[in-house]
Amino acid sequence: MNTTSQELDQKQAVTALRRKDLLGIAELSPGEIELVLDTAEAMKEVGTRPIKKVPALRGKTVVNLFYEPSTRTRTSFEIAEKRLSADTLNIAIGTSSVVKGETLADTALNLEAMSPDMIVLRHASSGACHFLSRVCRSAIINAGDGMHEHPTQALLDAFTIRERKKRLAGLKIAIIGDLLHSRVLRSNIHLLTKLGANVWVCGPPTLIPADIRRFGVTATSAVEEAVHDADVIMLLRIQLERMEGAYFPSLREYFRVFGMTEARLQLARPDVMIMHPGPMNRGVEIASEVADGPYSVILDQVANGVAVRMAVLYLLAGGAEHEEAA
Amino acid sequence: MPVVMDADRIGRTLTRIAHEIVERNKGTDDLAFVGVRTRGVPIARRLARTLREITGHEIPTGSLDITLYRDDLMRHAVGPQPVVRKTEIQFSIDNRKILLVDDVLYTGRTTRAALDALIDYGRPKAIQLIVLVDRGHRELPIKADYVGKNLPTSPEESVQVRLIEIDGEDEVVLEAGGGA
């Protein structure tokens, strides 16, 4: 049979996520990342229709299990699930049996007895999603585990950058803030370096993990150096709730030395994008004029989160290929 | 592998269908083309071009990806999900006569999915179906309004439509057994 050139191209491109779970970006190939981003483009269009719903996940049940507070991520997953016609169930930990002392594994196995197809998990412990993926038959989607990974945030960040800049390769991307406690940083470093971006990370020396350069990034505590000629500036929240010691003298001093102000922005490229995964601490990592200014794409990130999560839910619903024989 | 339509034949067929569209709709008022991805899209664009040459009117043209509406999507226990591509319909379909374009009409399941998808965009005045090849073997009560060629086939055969815009050549080929 004659195979046309386009069919050949499609065969070379990755056309499916052949995995059960999305636990992190670390294990994804560049082709798999591109597939999620391409699928998200189609999903974004669904959100512009008069009827923002497609029947793709009809009859699938998705449990959103959140052990940590979240507005954006939980709402975003729930809207994504509903737009794909899945049945959704939200478990907020404050009102569940966890307050009575039930373990994560017991909670998950009890939920699984009711046959959900997917579990979206946010947990304060790094590795909680990996653990659950071994215990559960359901597909596990990591919605943030401790200081480990937050893969859908990195995917929506990449989607937002690609939408504006049409590419990731070769861009200078400066990530500034609390590098030590950030799962968003870890997922973003994996993703951006896999797709060929030039990643700079910047923060107080006390908040720079010792082995960060191993991941192929340039680390500095000189914010001007990080911002210079940057195509994208991504700010990370100072995570006071995860800090067990004094990492810097005061929030005011942090803002003075590292805060993103209009003056610092002048050092970046004229078409720079300002990003923040939220929630923002105005006047700490970012000045209000910058957060609300013309270079900010912070609300685009939120909007794109729904499309990216729809793509992940859709692609994982096919399951892992090796299960086909079972 | 017999070629059942060559480039000339495809060209003449599309010109004929364009004339039929004008005749049947008594002009081009309220018409819009929606091509079903992948090969319905270039066929829809060609028909729109021909209609402009005949009538001088520009007919809006969009493209529809039906993957999220497939009836076999979640029926298999596990397996890779089909690739989803973007739907682009930049006009309101409300109160328009939509000319839905696909390359091959076979079981009718793609058309069923396309009809469901279209209805999510609005309430068209009417939907008419245009196909380059009708190969029979319908599994749903669906019928085309404009047919390029009726091609009797056996279920084992496969019909391959190749178009310049995608495949670099124009032809329709009937392939024996085991094909896609």
Side-chain angles (χ1 to χ4, degrees):
Chain A
M1 196 188 290
N2 289 332
T3 311
T4 62
S5 62
Q6 208 213 4
E7 278 165 354
L8 259 180
D9 286 346
Q10 286 174 357
K11 267 175 204 157
Q12 282 155 1
V14 175
T15 57
L17 278 190
R18 298 169 197 281
R19 47 180 75 247
K20 171 176 156 285
D21 313 297
L22 178 66
L23 304 177
I25 301 294
E27 54 265 29
L28 295 185
S29 70
E32 287 178 308
I33 293 167
E34 302 268 11
L35 173 68
V36 175
L37 301 183
D38 291 345
T39 307
E41 270 182 44
M43 294 300 182
K44 188 167 182 179
E45 183 274 327
V46 173
T48 66
R49 302 180 186 179
I51 296 179
K52 300 174 182 55
K53 202 177 184 73
V54 292
L57 294 196
R58 224 152 38 100
K60 295 275 171 185
T61 306
V62 185
V63 177
N64 300 313
L65 182 57
F66 278 67
Y67 282 82
E68 276 191 324
S70 164
T71 323
R72 240 170 316 276
T73 307
R74 197 190 54 72
T75 322
S76 179
F77 266 109
E78 193 178 347
I79 293 177
E81 290 149 12
K82 292 195 152 119
R83 288 201 177 151
L84 291 170
S85 302
D87 296 309
T88 69
L89 187 66
N90 294 310
I91 299 179
I93 276 334
T95 56
S96 76
S97 290
V98 172
V99 293
K100 299 178 188 167
E102 192 171 57
T103 65
L104 172 61
D106 282 335
T107 301
L109 289 175
N110 276 279
L111 287 172
E112 202 159 68
M114 296 179 259
S115 308
D117 298 284
M118 298 188 180
I119 298 175
V120 177
L121 177 68
R122 162 159 298 185
H123 200 282
S125 300
S126 308
C129 296
H130 285 80
F131 168 69
L132 216 59
S133 83
R134 288 193 298 271
V135 180
C136 293
R137 257 175 301 122
S138 318
I140 307 294
I141 299 178
N142 185 351
D145 63 328
M147 303 190 291
H148 174 233
E149 280 225 42
H150 190 353
T152 56
Q153 178 70 43
L155 288 163
L156 76 88
D157 289 341
F159 182 85
T160 307
I161 298 171
R162 204 178 72 156
E163 199 174 42
R164 293 275 174 125
K165 307 279 187 194
K166 309 294 170 213
R167 67 191 166 103
L168 287 158
L171 296 181
K172 178 176 178 182
I173 301 181
I175 310 180
I176 305 168
D178 182 346
L179 309 176
L180 190 59
H181 299 99
S182 178
R183 55 195 174 209
V184 174
L185 174 74
R186 282 172 191 51
S187 291
N188 259 312
I189 287 180
H190 286 307
L191 195 158
L192 296 171
T193 54
K194 276 175 204 254
L195 295 193
N198 176 16
V199 182
W200 286 60
V201 297
C202 173
T206 47
L207 288 175
I208 300 182
D211 58 347
I212 190 103
R213 289 174 184 83
R214 195 160 56 87
F215 296 100
V217 303
T218 311
T220 176
S221 285
V223 71
E224 283 75 16
E225 203 186 346
V227 170
H228 180 74
D229 274 347
D231 295 285
V232 178
I233 299 173
M234 203 181 279
L235 301 160
L236 299 175
R237 188 169 64 88
I238 296 300
Q239 304 193 31
L240 291 174
E241 79 278 13
R242 293 192 210 277
M243 292 185 187
E244 287 161 356
Y247 288 91
F248 49 84
S250 71
L251 291 177
R252 266 183 65 195
E253 177 165 328
Y254 181 86
F255 181 67
R256 196 171 51 74
V257 181
F258 294 99
M260 194 46 53
T261 58
E262 283 186 325
R264 289 200 170 113
L265 212 51
Q266 300 303 317
L267 302 170
R269 293 182 70 87
D271 59 346
V272 66
M273 297 167 64
I274 297 291
M275 306 178 76
H276 194 302
M280 273 188 284
N281 294 318
R282 289 169 183 263
V284 180
E285 65 266 3
I286 187 168
S288 268
E289 307 87 77
V290 175
D292 306 325
Y295 303 105
S296 168
V297 295
I298 295 171
L299 293 176
D300 295 325
Q301 289 174 269
V302 179
N304 289 336
V306 175
V308 164
R309 291 179 175 116
M310 286 171 77
V312 168
L313 289 159
Y314 168 78
L315 291 167
L316 285 183
E321 199 175 41
H322 66 266
E323 289 185 2
E324 229 160 354
Chain B
M1 276 177 248
V3 173
V4 288
M5 291 177 92
D6 60 15
D8 282 350
R9 176 99 193 253
I10 291 173
R12 283 196 303 275
T13 301
L14 292 180
T15 306
R16 187 200 84 222
I17 290 177
H19 282 281
E20 282 179 23
I21 292 168
V22 182
E23 184 186 14
R24 181 160 165 172
N25 293 285
K26 303 181 179 67
T28 58
D29 290 349
D30 306 327
L31 292 182
F33 284 106
V34 172
V36 176
R37 280 193 191 271
T38 307
R39 287 175 180 70
V41 178
I43 298 176
R45 296 222 175 93
R46 290 190 202 181
L47 285 169
R49 201 186 319 136
T50 309
L51 272 189
R52 190 179 58 217
E53 284 159 13
I54 299 171
T55 67
H57 292 126
E58 196 77 45
I59 316 281
T61 304
S63 54
L64 183 69
D65 185 283
I66 57 100
T67 310
L68 297 169
Y69 292 82
R70 282 170 59 151
D71 60 6
D72 56 352
L73 209 49
M74 289 296 147
R75 302 283 155 171
H76 310 296
V78 277
Q81 295 278 72
V83 174
V84 188
R85 297 185 197 284
K86 204 169 168 187
T87 291
E88 286 168 293
I89 301 178
Q90 315 278 17
F91 48 86
S92 165
I93 70 164
D94 283 332
N95 292 315
R96 277 190 199 271
K97 287 188 241 172
I98 300 298
L99 301 159
L100 182 66
V101 186
D102 204 353
D103 57 349
V104 180
L105 179 57
Y106 182 28
T107 61
R109 288 175 192 272
T110 301
T111 305
R112 195 284 310 163
L115 293 173
D116 277 359
L118 270 180
I119 299 300
D120 280 357
Y121 282 86
R123 186 174 187 280
K125 189 187 284 175
I127 300 176
Q128 298 170 6
L129 178 62
I130 301 169
V131 297
L132 186 58
V133 177
D134 181 348
R135 62 167 293 191
H137 306 285
R138 214 76 76 240
E139 294 169 4
L140 295 172
I142 280 169
K143 177 173 161 292
D145 299 276
Y146 310 87
V147 177
K149 181 179 175 57
N150 280 299
L151 184 65
T153 59
S154 82
E156 290 73 38
E157 289 167 316
S158 102
V159 177
Q160 298 295 327
V161 172
R162 300 203 180 98
L163 299 171
I164 286 172
E165 295 89 330
I166 296 170
D167 312 293
E169 58 181 344
D170 270 357
E171 64 177 13
V172 179
V173 180
L174 185 62
E175 289 174 348

